PDB file of all heavy atoms in Angstrom:
ATOM      1  N   GLU O   1      -0.102  -1.755  14.328  1.00  0.00           N
ATOM      2  CA  GLU O   1       1.168  -1.138  14.725  1.00  0.00           C
ATOM      3  C   GLU O   1       1.326  -1.168  16.250  1.00  0.00           C
ATOM      4  O   GLU O   1       2.416  -1.435  16.775  1.00  0.00           O
ATOM      5  CB  GLU O   1       1.230   0.305  14.239  1.00  0.00           C
ATOM      6  CG  GLU O   1       1.304   0.495  12.744  1.00  0.00           C
ATOM      7  CD  GLU O   1       1.403   1.971  12.377  1.00  0.00           C
ATOM      8  OE1 GLU O   1       1.586   2.796  13.297  1.00  0.00           O
ATOM      9  OE2 GLU O   1       1.300   2.301  11.179  1.00  0.00           O
ATOM     10  N   ARG O   2       0.252  -0.863  16.956  1.00  0.00           N
ATOM     11  CA  ARG O   2       0.308  -0.823  18.423  1.00  0.00           C
ATOM     12  C   ARG O   2       0.673  -2.194  18.992  1.00  0.00           C
ATOM     13  O   ARG O   2       1.478  -2.303  19.928  1.00  0.00           O
ATOM     14  CB  ARG O   2      -1.032  -0.355  18.981  1.00  0.00           C
ATOM     15  CG  ARG O   2      -1.017  -0.060  20.473  1.00  0.00           C
ATOM     16  CD  ARG O   2      -2.414   0.172  21.001  1.00  0.00           C
ATOM     17  NE  ARG O   2      -3.228  -1.030  20.929  1.00  0.00           N
ATOM     18  CZ  ARG O   2      -3.136  -2.045  21.799  1.00  0.00           C
ATOM     19  NH1 ARG O   2      -2.265  -1.997  22.793  1.00  0.00           N
ATOM     20  NH2 ARG O   2      -3.916  -3.100  21.661  1.00  0.00           N
ATOM     21  N   LEU O   3       0.091  -3.238  18.433  1.00  0.00           N
ATOM     22  CA  LEU O   3       0.420  -4.588  18.874  1.00  0.00           C
ATOM     23  C   LEU O   3       1.895  -4.889  18.629  1.00  0.00           C
ATOM     24  O   LEU O   3       2.560  -5.527  19.462  1.00  0.00           O
ATOM     25  CB  LEU O   3      -0.457  -5.604  18.146  1.00  0.00           C
ATOM     26  CG  LEU O   3      -1.955  -5.579  18.463  1.00  0.00           C
ATOM     27  CD1 LEU O   3      -2.694  -6.525  17.533  1.00  0.00           C
ATOM     28  CD2 LEU O   3      -2.215  -5.939  19.914  1.00  0.00           C
ATOM     29  N   LEU O   4       2.414  -4.465  17.500  1.00  0.00           N
ATOM     30  CA  LEU O   4       3.825  -4.703  17.180  1.00  0.00           C
ATOM     31  C   LEU O   4       4.742  -3.987  18.159  1.00  0.00           C
ATOM     32  O   LEU O   4       5.731  -4.558  18.642  1.00  0.00           O
ATOM     33  CB  LEU O   4       4.105  -4.232  15.741  1.00  0.00           C
ATOM     34  CG  LEU O   4       5.560  -4.311  15.277  1.00  0.00           C
ATOM     35  CD1 LEU O   4       6.088  -5.737  15.366  1.00  0.00           C
ATOM     36  CD2 LEU O   4       5.688  -3.776  13.848  1.00  0.00           C
ATOM     37  N   ARG O   5       4.425  -2.746  18.484  1.00  0.00           N
ATOM     38  CA  ARG O   5       5.265  -1.983  19.410  1.00  0.00           C
ATOM     39  C   ARG O   5       5.365  -2.670  20.776  1.00  0.00           C
ATOM     40  O   ARG O   5       6.386  -2.564  21.463  1.00  0.00           O
ATOM     41  CB  ARG O   5       4.682  -0.575  19.595  1.00  0.00           C
ATOM     42  CG  ARG O   5       4.771   0.328  18.369  1.00  0.00           C
ATOM     43  CD  ARG O   5       3.935   1.576  18.609  1.00  0.00           C
ATOM     44  NE  ARG O   5       3.797   2.422  17.456  1.00  0.00           N
ATOM     45  CZ  ARG O   5       4.535   3.496  17.203  1.00  0.00           C
ATOM     46  NH1 ARG O   5       5.495   3.844  18.044  1.00  0.00           N
ATOM     47  NH2 ARG O   5       4.327   4.222  16.120  1.00  0.00           N
ATOM     48  N   ALA O   6       4.294  -3.359  21.169  1.00  0.00           N
ATOM     49  CA  ALA O   6       4.258  -4.004  22.481  1.00  0.00           C
ATOM     50  C   ALA O   6       4.767  -5.437  22.452  1.00  0.00           C
ATOM     51  O   ALA O   6       4.749  -6.121  23.478  1.00  0.00           O
ATOM     52  CB  ALA O   6       2.824  -3.977  23.020  1.00  0.00           C
ATOM     53  N   SER O   7       5.252  -5.905  21.318  1.00  0.00           N
ATOM     54  CA  SER O   7       5.573  -7.325  21.141  1.00  0.00           C
ATOM     55  C   SER O   7       6.913  -7.753  21.718  1.00  0.00           C
ATOM     56  O   SER O   7       7.151  -8.936  21.941  1.00  0.00           O
ATOM     57  CB  SER O   7       5.563  -7.671  19.649  1.00  0.00           C
ATOM     58  OG  SER O   7       6.649  -7.021  18.982  1.00  0.00           O
ATOM     59  N   GLY O   8       7.819  -6.809  21.930  1.00  0.00           N
ATOM     60  CA  GLY O   8       9.167  -7.161  22.357  1.00  0.00           C
ATOM     61  C   GLY O   8      10.119  -7.433  21.209  1.00  0.00           C
ATOM     62  O   GLY O   8      11.328  -7.609  21.424  1.00  0.00           O
ATOM     63  N   LEU O   9       9.608  -7.464  19.975  1.00  0.00           N
ATOM     64  CA  LEU O   9      10.469  -7.642  18.797  1.00  0.00           C
ATOM     65  C   LEU O   9      11.136  -6.326  18.424  1.00  0.00           C
ATOM     66  O   LEU O   9      10.688  -5.242  18.825  1.00  0.00           O
ATOM     67  CB  LEU O   9       9.632  -8.146  17.614  1.00  0.00           C
ATOM     68  CG  LEU O   9       9.001  -9.529  17.769  1.00  0.00           C
ATOM     69  CD1 LEU O   9       7.993  -9.766  16.655  1.00  0.00           C
ATOM     70  CD2 LEU O   9      10.066 -10.613  17.753  1.00  0.00           C
ATOM     71  N   GLU O  10      12.198  -6.412  17.661  1.00  0.00           N
ATOM     72  CA  GLU O  10      12.848  -5.213  17.114  1.00  0.00           C
ATOM     73  C   GLU O  10      12.111  -4.851  15.831  1.00  0.00           C
ATOM     74  O   GLU O  10      12.210  -5.551  14.832  1.00  0.00           O
ATOM     75  CB  GLU O  10      14.328  -5.490  16.843  1.00  0.00           C
ATOM     76  CG  GLU O  10      15.117  -5.795  18.103  1.00  0.00           C
ATOM     77  CD  GLU O  10      16.561  -6.158  17.813  1.00  0.00           C
ATOM     78  OE1 GLU O  10      16.887  -6.409  16.619  1.00  0.00           O
ATOM     79  OE2 GLU O  10      17.367  -6.211  18.750  1.00  0.00           O
ATOM     80  N   TRP O  11      11.359  -3.766  15.862  1.00  0.00           N
ATOM     81  CA  TRP O  11      10.426  -3.470  14.787  1.00  0.00           C
ATOM     82  C   TRP O  11      10.800  -2.219  14.002  1.00  0.00           C
ATOM     83  O   TRP O  11      11.474  -1.311  14.494  1.00  0.00           O
ATOM     84  CB  TRP O  11       9.009  -3.320  15.331  1.00  0.00           C
ATOM     85  CG  TRP O  11       8.849  -2.327  16.445  1.00  0.00           C
ATOM     86  CD1 TRP O  11       8.872  -2.584  17.785  1.00  0.00           C
ATOM     87  CD2 TRP O  11       8.666  -0.906  16.314  1.00  0.00           C
ATOM     88  NE1 TRP O  11       8.704  -1.425  18.509  1.00  0.00           N
ATOM     89  CE2 TRP O  11       8.570  -0.379  17.630  1.00  0.00           C
ATOM     90  CE3 TRP O  11       8.573  -0.041  15.228  1.00  0.00           C
ATOM     91  CZ2 TRP O  11       8.388   0.985  17.880  1.00  0.00           C
ATOM     92  CZ3 TRP O  11       8.394   1.329  15.469  1.00  0.00           C
ATOM     93  CH2 TRP O  11       8.302   1.823  16.778  1.00  0.00           C
ATOM     94  N   THR O  12      10.288  -2.195  12.765  1.00  0.00           N
ATOM     95  CA  THR O  12      10.312  -1.017  11.913  1.00  0.00           C
ATOM     96  C   THR O  12       8.957  -0.938  11.231  1.00  0.00           C
ATOM     97  O   THR O  12       8.450  -1.946  10.744  1.00  0.00           O
ATOM     98  CB  THR O  12      11.418  -1.107  10.840  1.00  0.00           C
ATOM     99  OG1 THR O  12      12.687  -1.269  11.476  1.00  0.00           O
ATOM    100  CG2 THR O  12      11.443   0.162   9.975  1.00  0.00           C
ATOM    101  N   ILE O  13       8.377   0.252  11.204  1.00  0.00           N
ATOM    102  CA  ILE O  13       7.079   0.446  10.569  1.00  0.00           C
ATOM    103  C   ILE O  13       7.233   1.350   9.359  1.00  0.00           C
ATOM    104  O   ILE O  13       7.801   2.447   9.461  1.00  0.00           O
ATOM    105  CB  ILE O  13       6.068   1.055  11.562  1.00  0.00           C
ATOM    106  CG1 ILE O  13       5.791   0.070  12.705  1.00  0.00           C
ATOM    107  CG2 ILE O  13       4.770   1.432  10.851  1.00  0.00           C
ATOM    108  CD1 ILE O  13       4.997   0.668  13.853  1.00  0.00           C
ATOM    109  N   LEU O  14       6.764   0.879   8.222  1.00  0.00           N
ATOM    110  CA  LEU O  14       6.761   1.664   6.991  1.00  0.00           C
ATOM    111  C   LEU O  14       5.332   2.145   6.734  1.00  0.00           C
ATOM    112  O   LEU O  14       4.399   1.340   6.757  1.00  0.00           O
ATOM    113  CB  LEU O  14       7.242   0.825   5.807  1.00  0.00           C
ATOM    114  CG  LEU O  14       8.588   0.120   5.966  1.00  0.00           C
ATOM    115  CD1 LEU O  14       8.889  -0.712   4.718  1.00  0.00           C
ATOM    116  CD2 LEU O  14       9.709   1.116   6.225  1.00  0.00           C
ATOM    117  N   ARG O  15       5.177   3.440   6.488  1.00  0.00           N
ATOM    118  CA  ARG O  15       3.851   4.000   6.217  1.00  0.00           C
ATOM    119  C   ARG O  15       3.838   4.630   4.819  1.00  0.00           C
ATOM    120  O   ARG O  15       4.042   5.835   4.661  1.00  0.00           O
ATOM    121  CB  ARG O  15       3.481   5.049   7.261  1.00  0.00           C
ATOM    122  CG  ARG O  15       3.164   4.487   8.636  1.00  0.00           C
ATOM    123  CD  ARG O  15       2.774   5.602   9.578  1.00  0.00           C
ATOM    124  NE  ARG O  15       2.372   5.105  10.890  1.00  0.00           N
ATOM    125  CZ  ARG O  15       2.154   5.893  11.939  1.00  0.00           C
ATOM    126  NH1 ARG O  15       2.306   7.208  11.821  1.00  0.00           N
ATOM    127  NH2 ARG O  15       1.784   5.380  13.103  1.00  0.00           N
ATOM    128  N   PRO O  16       3.594   3.830   3.795  1.00  0.00           N
ATOM    129  CA  PRO O  16       3.585   4.368   2.438  1.00  0.00           C
ATOM    130  C   PRO O  16       2.321   5.155   2.128  1.00  0.00           C
ATOM    131  O   PRO O  16       1.249   4.908   2.685  1.00  0.00           O
ATOM    132  CB  PRO O  16       3.681   3.124   1.559  1.00  0.00           C
ATOM    133  CG  PRO O  16       3.163   2.018   2.412  1.00  0.00           C
ATOM    134  CD  PRO O  16       3.457   2.377   3.833  1.00  0.00           C
ATOM    135  N   SER O  17       2.484   6.124   1.226  1.00  0.00           N
ATOM    136  CA  SER O  17       1.341   6.812   0.637  1.00  0.00           C
ATOM    137  C   SER O  17       0.758   5.885  -0.430  1.00  0.00           C
ATOM    138  O   SER O  17       0.957   4.671  -0.384  1.00  0.00           O
ATOM    139  CB  SER O  17       1.783   8.146   0.038  1.00  0.00           C
ATOM    140  OG  SER O  17       2.754   7.929  -0.981  1.00  0.00           O
ATOM    141  N   MET O  18       0.050   6.419  -1.395  1.00  0.00           N
ATOM    142  CA  MET O  18      -0.468   5.586  -2.478  1.00  0.00           C
ATOM    143  C   MET O  18       0.691   4.888  -3.190  1.00  0.00           C
ATOM    144  O   MET O  18       1.649   5.526  -3.614  1.00  0.00           O
ATOM    145  CB  MET O  18      -1.242   6.446  -3.473  1.00  0.00           C
ATOM    146  CG  MET O  18      -1.776   5.661  -4.667  1.00  0.00           C
ATOM    147  SD  MET O  18      -2.494   6.748  -5.896  1.00  0.00           S
ATOM    148  CE  MET O  18      -3.888   7.392  -4.966  1.00  0.00           C
ATOM    149  N   ILE O  19       0.606   3.560  -3.303  1.00  0.00           N
ATOM    150  CA  ILE O  19       1.675   2.780  -3.924  1.00  0.00           C
ATOM    151  C   ILE O  19       1.309   2.511  -5.375  1.00  0.00           C
ATOM    152  O   ILE O  19       0.206   2.066  -5.674  1.00  0.00           O
ATOM    153  CB  ILE O  19       1.877   1.452  -3.177  1.00  0.00           C
ATOM    154  CG1 ILE O  19       2.149   1.705  -1.691  1.00  0.00           C
ATOM    155  CG2 ILE O  19       3.032   0.666  -3.796  1.00  0.00           C
ATOM    156  CD1 ILE O  19       2.203   0.440  -0.859  1.00  0.00           C
ATOM    157  N   HIS O  20       2.244   2.783  -6.274  1.00  0.00           N
ATOM    158  CA  HIS O  20       1.958   2.571  -7.693  1.00  0.00           C
ATOM    159  C   HIS O  20       2.958   1.613  -8.329  1.00  0.00           C
ATOM    160  O   HIS O  20       4.103   1.486  -7.880  1.00  0.00           O
ATOM    161  CB  HIS O  20       1.945   3.905  -8.453  1.00  0.00           C
ATOM    162  CG  HIS O  20       3.299   4.545  -8.613  1.00  0.00           C
ATOM    163  ND1 HIS O  20       4.108   4.319  -9.707  1.00  0.00           N
ATOM    164  CD2 HIS O  20       3.971   5.429  -7.829  1.00  0.00           C
ATOM    165  CE1 HIS O  20       5.222   5.027  -9.587  1.00  0.00           C
ATOM    166  NE2 HIS O  20       5.167   5.705  -8.456  1.00  0.00           N
ATOM    167  N   GLY O  21       2.499   0.947  -9.356  1.00  0.00           N
ATOM    168  CA  GLY O  21       3.305   0.013 -10.126  1.00  0.00           C
ATOM    169  C   GLY O  21       2.446  -0.571 -11.225  1.00  0.00           C
ATOM    170  O   GLY O  21       1.210  -0.511 -11.157  1.00  0.00           O
ATOM    171  N   PRO O  22       3.027  -1.147 -12.249  1.00  0.00           N
ATOM    172  CA  PRO O  22       2.260  -1.589 -13.418  1.00  0.00           C
ATOM    173  C   PRO O  22       1.239  -2.673 -13.119  1.00  0.00           C
ATOM    174  O   PRO O  22       0.206  -2.761 -13.791  1.00  0.00           O
ATOM    175  CB  PRO O  22       3.337  -2.097 -14.386  1.00  0.00           C
ATOM    176  CG  PRO O  22       4.510  -2.408 -13.525  1.00  0.00           C
ATOM    177  CD  PRO O  22       4.471  -1.407 -12.411  1.00  0.00           C
ATOM    178  N   ASP O  23       1.501  -3.523 -12.122  1.00  0.00           N
ATOM    179  CA  ASP O  23       0.589  -4.616 -11.825  1.00  0.00           C
ATOM    180  C   ASP O  23      -0.255  -4.354 -10.585  1.00  0.00           C
ATOM    181  O   ASP O  23      -0.889  -5.254 -10.057  1.00  0.00           O
ATOM    182  CB  ASP O  23       1.351  -5.935 -11.675  1.00  0.00           C
ATOM    183  CG  ASP O  23       2.601  -5.803 -10.811  1.00  0.00           C
ATOM    184  OD1 ASP O  23       3.028  -4.672 -10.539  1.00  0.00           O
ATOM    185  OD2 ASP O  23       3.168  -6.838 -10.418  1.00  0.00           O
ATOM    186  N   GLY O  24      -0.273  -3.090 -10.130  1.00  0.00           N
ATOM    187  CA  GLY O  24      -1.069  -2.736  -8.973  1.00  0.00           C
ATOM    188  C   GLY O  24      -2.530  -2.549  -9.326  1.00  0.00           C
ATOM    189  O   GLY O  24      -2.887  -2.196 -10.454  1.00  0.00           O
ATOM    190  N   GLU O  25      -3.396  -2.764  -8.338  1.00  0.00           N
ATOM    191  CA  GLU O  25      -4.835  -2.662  -8.558  1.00  0.00           C
ATOM    192  C   GLU O  25      -5.234  -1.260  -9.009  1.00  0.00           C
ATOM    193  O   GLU O  25      -6.091  -1.099  -9.878  1.00  0.00           O
ATOM    194  CB  GLU O  25      -5.578  -3.025  -7.274  1.00  0.00           C
ATOM    195  CG  GLU O  25      -7.087  -2.994  -7.393  1.00  0.00           C
ATOM    196  CD  GLU O  25      -7.786  -3.343  -6.103  1.00  0.00           C
ATOM    197  OE1 GLU O  25      -7.094  -3.654  -5.105  1.00  0.00           O
ATOM    198  OE2 GLU O  25      -9.030  -3.301  -6.071  1.00  0.00           O
ATOM    199  N   PHE O  26      -4.600  -0.234  -8.437  1.00  0.00           N
ATOM    200  CA  PHE O  26      -4.977   1.133  -8.789  1.00  0.00           C
ATOM    201  C   PHE O  26      -4.694   1.435 -10.254  1.00  0.00           C
ATOM    202  O   PHE O  26      -5.542   1.974 -10.973  1.00  0.00           O
ATOM    203  CB  PHE O  26      -4.242   2.137  -7.898  1.00  0.00           C
ATOM    204  CG  PHE O  26      -4.506   3.566  -8.274  1.00  0.00           C
ATOM    205  CD1 PHE O  26      -5.738   4.152  -8.007  1.00  0.00           C
ATOM    206  CD2 PHE O  26      -3.538   4.330  -8.918  1.00  0.00           C
ATOM    207  CE1 PHE O  26      -5.995   5.474  -8.369  1.00  0.00           C
ATOM    208  CE2 PHE O  26      -3.784   5.641  -9.278  1.00  0.00           C
ATOM    209  CZ  PHE O  26      -5.019   6.216  -9.001  1.00  0.00           C
ATOM    210  N   MET O  27      -3.509   1.079 -10.722  1.00  0.00           N
ATOM    211  CA  MET O  27      -3.169   1.353 -12.116  1.00  0.00           C
ATOM    212  C   MET O  27      -4.049   0.553 -13.073  1.00  0.00           C
ATOM    213  O   MET O  27      -4.431   1.048 -14.142  1.00  0.00           O
ATOM    214  CB  MET O  27      -1.692   1.053 -12.376  1.00  0.00           C
ATOM    215  CG  MET O  27      -0.755   2.121 -11.838  1.00  0.00           C
ATOM    216  SD  MET O  27      -1.026   3.707 -12.660  1.00  0.00           S
ATOM    217  CE  MET O  27       0.056   4.774 -11.698  1.00  0.00           C
ATOM    218  N   GLN O  28      -4.392  -0.663 -12.694  1.00  0.00           N
ATOM    219  CA  GLN O  28      -5.286  -1.454 -13.529  1.00  0.00           C
ATOM    220  C   GLN O  28      -6.674  -0.805 -13.599  1.00  0.00           C
ATOM    221  O   GLN O  28      -7.325  -0.806 -14.656  1.00  0.00           O
ATOM    222  CB  GLN O  28      -5.405  -2.872 -12.962  1.00  0.00           C
ATOM    223  CG  GLN O  28      -4.110  -3.670 -12.996  1.00  0.00           C
ATOM    224  CD  GLN O  28      -3.616  -3.959 -14.401  1.00  0.00           C
ATOM    225  OE1 GLN O  28      -4.413  -4.167 -15.313  1.00  0.00           O
ATOM    226  NE2 GLN O  28      -2.304  -3.962 -14.583  1.00  0.00           N
ATOM    227  N   MET O  29      -7.104  -0.225 -12.491  1.00  0.00           N
ATOM    228  CA  MET O  29      -8.401   0.437 -12.464  1.00  0.00           C
ATOM    229  C   MET O  29      -8.399   1.693 -13.336  1.00  0.00           C
ATOM    230  O   MET O  29      -9.335   1.924 -14.109  1.00  0.00           O
ATOM    231  CB  MET O  29      -8.759   0.804 -11.018  1.00  0.00           C
ATOM    232  CG  MET O  29     -10.121   1.437 -10.840  1.00  0.00           C
ATOM    233  SD  MET O  29     -10.608   1.528  -9.089  1.00  0.00           S
ATOM    234  CE  MET O  29      -9.260   2.529  -8.415  1.00  0.00           C
ATOM    235  N   VAL O  30      -7.332   2.489 -13.238  1.00  0.00           N
ATOM    236  CA  VAL O  30      -7.239   3.698 -14.060  1.00  0.00           C
ATOM    237  C   VAL O  30      -7.187   3.334 -15.538  1.00  0.00           C
ATOM    238  O   VAL O  30      -7.778   4.014 -16.383  1.00  0.00           O
ATOM    239  CB  VAL O  30      -6.011   4.547 -13.658  1.00  0.00           C
ATOM    240  CG1 VAL O  30      -5.879   5.758 -14.579  1.00  0.00           C
ATOM    241  CG2 VAL O  30      -6.130   5.013 -12.211  1.00  0.00           C
ATOM    242  N   LYS O  31      -6.496   2.260 -15.868  1.00  0.00           N
ATOM    243  CA  LYS O  31      -6.448   1.815 -17.259  1.00  0.00           C
ATOM    244  C   LYS O  31      -7.851   1.497 -17.767  1.00  0.00           C
ATOM    245  O   LYS O  31      -8.223   1.880 -18.890  1.00  0.00           O
ATOM    246  CB  LYS O  31      -5.552   0.574 -17.391  1.00  0.00           C
ATOM    247  CG  LYS O  31      -5.477   0.027 -18.813  1.00  0.00           C
ATOM    248  CD  LYS O  31      -4.577  -1.201 -18.884  1.00  0.00           C
ATOM    249  CE  LYS O  31      -4.515  -1.749 -20.296  1.00  0.00           C
ATOM    250  NZ  LYS O  31      -3.609  -2.924 -20.394  1.00  0.00           N
ATOM    251  N   GLY O  32      -8.646   0.809 -16.961  1.00  0.00           N
ATOM    252  CA  GLY O  32     -10.013   0.487 -17.358  1.00  0.00           C
ATOM    253  C   GLY O  32     -10.832   1.731 -17.623  1.00  0.00           C
ATOM    254  O   GLY O  32     -11.606   1.803 -18.585  1.00  0.00           O
ATOM    255  N   TRP O  33     -10.664   2.762 -16.794  1.00  0.00           N
ATOM    256  CA  TRP O  33     -11.373   4.028 -17.011  1.00  0.00           C
ATOM    257  C   TRP O  33     -10.884   4.727 -18.275  1.00  0.00           C
ATOM    258  O   TRP O  33     -11.668   5.187 -19.087  1.00  0.00           O
ATOM    259  CB  TRP O  33     -11.167   4.954 -15.815  1.00  0.00           C
ATOM    260  CG  TRP O  33     -11.806   4.511 -14.550  1.00  0.00           C
ATOM    261  CD1 TRP O  33     -12.895   3.710 -14.404  1.00  0.00           C
ATOM    262  CD2 TRP O  33     -11.384   4.869 -13.231  1.00  0.00           C
ATOM    263  NE1 TRP O  33     -13.192   3.544 -13.071  1.00  0.00           N
ATOM    264  CE2 TRP O  33     -12.286   4.249 -12.327  1.00  0.00           C
ATOM    265  CE3 TRP O  33     -10.348   5.640 -12.710  1.00  0.00           C
ATOM    266  CZ2 TRP O  33     -12.173   4.390 -10.938  1.00  0.00           C
ATOM    267  CZ3 TRP O  33     -10.234   5.787 -11.337  1.00  0.00           C
ATOM    268  CH2 TRP O  33     -11.139   5.164 -10.476  1.00  0.00           C
ATOM    269  N   ALA O  34      -9.549   4.813 -18.405  1.00  0.00           N
ATOM    270  CA  ALA O  34      -8.961   5.577 -19.507  1.00  0.00           C
ATOM    271  C   ALA O  34      -9.281   4.970 -20.866  1.00  0.00           C
ATOM    272  O   ALA O  34      -9.363   5.686 -21.876  1.00  0.00           O
ATOM    273  CB  ALA O  34      -7.447   5.689 -19.324  1.00  0.00           C
ATOM    274  N   LEU O  35      -9.455   3.655 -20.913  1.00  0.00           N
ATOM    275  CA  LEU O  35      -9.803   2.988 -22.163  1.00  0.00           C
ATOM    276  C   LEU O  35     -11.313   2.832 -22.334  1.00  0.00           C
ATOM    277  O   LEU O  35     -11.768   2.254 -23.324  1.00  0.00           O
ATOM    278  CB  LEU O  35      -9.134   1.620 -22.241  1.00  0.00           C
ATOM    279  CG  LEU O  35      -7.715   1.587 -22.836  1.00  0.00           C
ATOM    280  CD1 LEU O  35      -6.732   2.404 -22.013  1.00  0.00           C
ATOM    281  CD2 LEU O  35      -7.218   0.150 -22.966  1.00  0.00           C
ATOM    282  N   GLY O  36     -12.078   3.332 -21.375  1.00  0.00           N
ATOM    283  CA  GLY O  36     -13.527   3.246 -21.457  1.00  0.00           C
ATOM    284  C   GLY O  36     -14.087   1.862 -21.236  1.00  0.00           C
ATOM    285  O   GLY O  36     -15.243   1.588 -21.562  1.00  0.00           O
ATOM    286  N   ARG O  37     -13.283   0.974 -20.651  1.00  0.00           N
ATOM    287  CA  ARG O  37     -13.730  -0.410 -20.458  1.00  0.00           C
ATOM    288  C   ARG O  37     -14.472  -0.614 -19.147  1.00  0.00           C
ATOM    289  O   ARG O  37     -15.198  -1.591 -18.977  1.00  0.00           O
ATOM    290  CB  ARG O  37     -12.518  -1.349 -20.496  1.00  0.00           C
ATOM    291  CG  ARG O  37     -11.792  -1.376 -21.835  1.00  0.00           C
ATOM    292  CD  ARG O  37     -10.524  -2.207 -21.727  1.00  0.00           C
ATOM    293  NE  ARG O  37      -9.800  -2.249 -23.005  1.00  0.00           N
ATOM    294  CZ  ARG O  37      -8.575  -2.743 -23.132  1.00  0.00           C
ATOM    295  NH1 ARG O  37      -7.956  -3.246 -22.065  1.00  0.00           N
ATOM    296  NH2 ARG O  37      -7.975  -2.739 -24.304  1.00  0.00           N
TER     297      ARG O  37
END
């Protein structure tokens, strides 16, 4: 982020919390736990 701020470009920074979705690594991991796999 610091490098971007100093770049001279017109910037926007997005800071997401935990990102979820059906094909995300986290949800796939929870599925493996929940199914005992």
Side-chain angles (χ1 to χ4, degrees):
E1 293 182 9
R2 189 190 66 78
L3 293 173
L4 176 59
R5 291 169 188 263
S7 68
L9 296 169
E10 296 176 347
W11 54 265
T12 302
I13 295 170
L14 307 178
R15 288 182 176 171
S17 60
M18 178 187 295
I19 304 173
H20 71 92
D23 46 346
E25 182 181 358
F26 176 72
M27 284 297 174
Q28 295 295 325
M29 183 168 59
V30 177
K31 179 180 180 178
W33 292 334
L35 272 62
R37 296 174 180 170

